[in-house]
Amino acid sequence: MAEIKLDLRHQPKDRAYAQLHSHMLSVLTGIDNDIAGMATLASLLHHAFGFLWTGFYRVVSPGTLLVGPYQGTLGCLEIAFGRGVCGTAAAERRTVIVPDVARFPGHIACDARAKSEIVVPVLDRAGELVAVLDIDSARTGTFDKQDAEGLERIVRWFAGEGRS
Ligand code: SME
């Protein structure tokens, strides 16, 4: 079993995500289950970077996201496609970076401490949207293109990349 205590807060982002990715692949060796993958990834990301909320909203029926594995305070339960940051990322199947949630019309505030957010679509092997990965930070401007690239690469595990 790999060491799971990682602190990546003081690393350059490209190295941090590369480290987290290889760590995740090692922890998930032999596991072929999306929920286990989501729970593991949420925990690794949340604690390694010290985020405020880190987790998944899963597509449970057409146009509806339901909260999945996460770390943090109570998240809202259901989000319709097109609503908030998560619903926008799901409807448009693209990563959405919000540097300041106060400036995102329709942002759904689950925790008043959240200041910035990134939401990344999660696709399966067939290219179908199965979930979104949602991360909230207590500081404005936390997320940029490097976070998007790092996270988009990591969630390709759900499309089968690196699963063994
Ligand atoms: N802020 C999100 C809702 C989910 S919580 O942040 C956990 C949104 O606007 O979609």
Side-chain angles (χ1 to χ4, degrees), residues 53 57 73-76 79 83-87 101 104 106-111 114 117 119 134 136:
W53 197 96
Y57 282 91
T73 55
L74 193 64
C76 56
I79 300 175
R83 286 203 57 234
V85 188
C86 291
V101 297
F104 187 94
H107 168 257
I108 303 163
C110 298
D111 186 325
E117 180 164 355
V119 181
D134 177 18
D136 289 351

